[in-house]
Amino acid sequence: MNLLFIADPLVGFKTYKDSTYAMMVEAARRGHGLYAMLAGDLAWREGRIVGRMRAISLTGGDPWFAEGDAEWRELAEFDAVIMRTDPPFDQAYLYATWLLEMAERQGARVFNRPQSLRDYNEKLAIARFPQFIAPTLVSNDAGLIRAFLAEHGDIVVKPLNAMGGSGIFRLRPDDANLGAILETVTRNGAETIMAQRYLPAIKDGDKRILVINGEVVPYCLARIPAEGETRGNLAAGGTGVARPLTDRDLAIACSLGPTLKQAGLLLVGLDVIGDCLTEVNVTSPTCFQEITQQTGFDVAAMFVDALERLAKGAV
């Protein structure tokens, strides 16, 4: 197969932990051709969706890749197009999903499905599965957020379009900076945010559970907050510890799996704190390498297995 990865610049990859890199290594090991491009290099030209891309090969050294000359090619030429651009989900990302959806209509096989990248906001998507979530409010109104805080006594607030723990605050009613924080996170009421009841189980880790084409990876990565930190995200200094799924973890993931598969979401990262689903990550879920290194379960192989089946038209 020839695979096209739409990702952030390759020179910025942290290959010791990057999941896109792990996908590429496994695909190359199986003899598949690799190409890479930026989402900003998509174009609609003469009625066709094309991209300015380069063939890449893995060197096993530093730099970790070699690339060919840039060329414009139709996305429909590839066996699979893997969209792995990191958030924020901004206007440029939105435009990319529209162009990728046009490419789909021309025969391209795009994973994750562009429409579902739009439909499944990584924070708001939990509203589709209310039986698994903690008390949650979504609003830009400081009065509603204050009332939610008064009701629950301890909450976290976070933006709807960020990643890696960016912009997350823990709030209590006696916080002297409460007003300033709400003004900042809502941009004085211009930005809608999510507020959730604080879950003390975060001390045991914010668990990332991977679902690949509806099937659940049997291990999660519990991202444990650093001392004095609320956020477990690895980007915020958390420590990743791989663990077998609990019965509750498995129940959540197995319940969501068929719905996610039906939506064309090949790879999803569920975030679970304690017994509660907190996010449904669809843009560029990670933690492949950490789980594999600590458990021996080859997540990248499971992913490429599923990709090969889908590219061949198998369910």
Side-chain angles (χ1 to χ4, degrees):
M1 298 193 303
N2 283 326
L3 307 178
L4 172 60
F5 287 84
I6 303 177
D8 295 322
L10 302 186
V11 294
F13 278 28
K14 297 177 180 177
T15 56
Y16 64 92
K17 68 174 185 177
D18 193 284
S19 293
T20 306
Y21 172 74
M23 296 173 188
M24 291 179 171
V25 169
E26 178 62 19
R29 187 188 68 79
R30 301 185 188 199
H32 300 315
L34 305 179
Y35 293 76
M37 63 172 290
L38 302 175
D41 285 332
L42 289 166
W44 179 30
R45 185 180 67 184
E46 298 177 352
R48 306 295 294 178
I49 300 300
V50 299
R52 184 171 57 193
M53 64 193 67
R54 298 175 187 268
I56 63 169
S57 58
L58 308 187
T59 67
D62 185 14
W64 62 270
F65 68 96
E67 59 185 6
D69 295 333
E71 55 181 325
W72 289 97
R73 293 181 59 175
E74 291 188 20
L75 270 63
E77 296 178 17
F78 291 86
D79 295 285
V81 177
I82 301 101
M83 177 58 164
R84 290 285 298 173
T85 302
D86 284 343
F89 196 110
D90 54 14
Q91 201 71 18
Y93 197 108
L94 179 62
Y95 293 151
T97 67
W98 280 327
L99 290 171
L100 289 171
E101 193 169 17
M102 293 167 67
E104 277 189 319
R105 292 196 291 270
Q106 295 170 1
R109 301 183 67 83
V110 183
F111 307 101
N112 284 328
R113 189 178 181 191
Q115 179 181 336
S116 292
L117 288 175
R118 295 194 302 271
D119 290 350
Y120 278 73
N121 174 274
E122 299 191 322
K123 309 299 189 294
L124 289 172
I126 65 170
R128 298 171 180 264
F129 312 104
Q131 69 272 35
F132 297 124
I133 69 174
T136 300
L137 168 74
V138 175
S139 177
N140 63 2
D141 187 280
L144 285 180
I145 299 168
R146 285 177 179 272
F148 184 79
L149 173 58
E151 178 183 359
H152 296 286
D154 196 350
I155 68 173
V156 294
V157 294
K158 53 189 174 182
L160 298 178
N161 67 343
M163 64 172 286
S166 176
I168 295 179
F169 291 88
R170 180 181 178 184
L171 299 177
R172 299 179 181 86
D174 60 353
D175 194 320
N177 296 308
L178 176 60
I181 290 171
L182 293 181
E183 289 168 6
T184 300
V185 296
T186 68
R187 292 197 300 119
N188 292 306
E191 191 82 25
T192 299
I193 66 166
M194 175 172 283
Q196 291 177 314
R197 186 181 67 195
Y198 175 72
L199 298 170
I202 184 63
K203 68 178 179 13
D204 298 318
D206 181 354
K207 294 173 285 188
R208 168 58 55 85
I209 301 170
L210 296 171
V211 181
I212 298 175
N213 199 32
E215 300 296 321
V216 183
V217 173
Y219 298 91
C220 68
L221 191 75
R223 296 159 297 172
I224 301 170
E227 186 69 28
E229 175 62 75
T230 298
R231 303 167 297 173
N233 308 77
L234 301 183
T239 300
V241 178
R243 297 172 179 162
L245 300 186
T246 67
D247 289 345
R248 174 66 171 183
D249 296 336
L250 194 59
I252 292 173
C254 288
S255 178
L256 271 59
T259 300
L260 301 173
K261 179 178 179 178
Q262 182 65 33
L265 293 167
L266 172 59
L267 175 62
V268 178
L270 306 177
D271 287 351
V272 173
I273 298 175
D275 290 338
C276 296
L277 176 69
T278 59
E279 293 187 13
V280 179
N281 295 274
V282 300
T283 51
S284 56
T286 186
C287 297
F288 277 36
Q289 294 204 56
E290 294 90 342
I291 291 173
T292 298
Q293 290 161 5
Q294 295 183 40
T295 70
F297 184 89
D298 196 332
V299 182
M302 180 177 174
F303 175 82
V304 178
D305 284 345
L307 189 64
E308 289 174 340
R309 291 193 298 270
L310 289 169
K312 294 174 183 176
V315 177

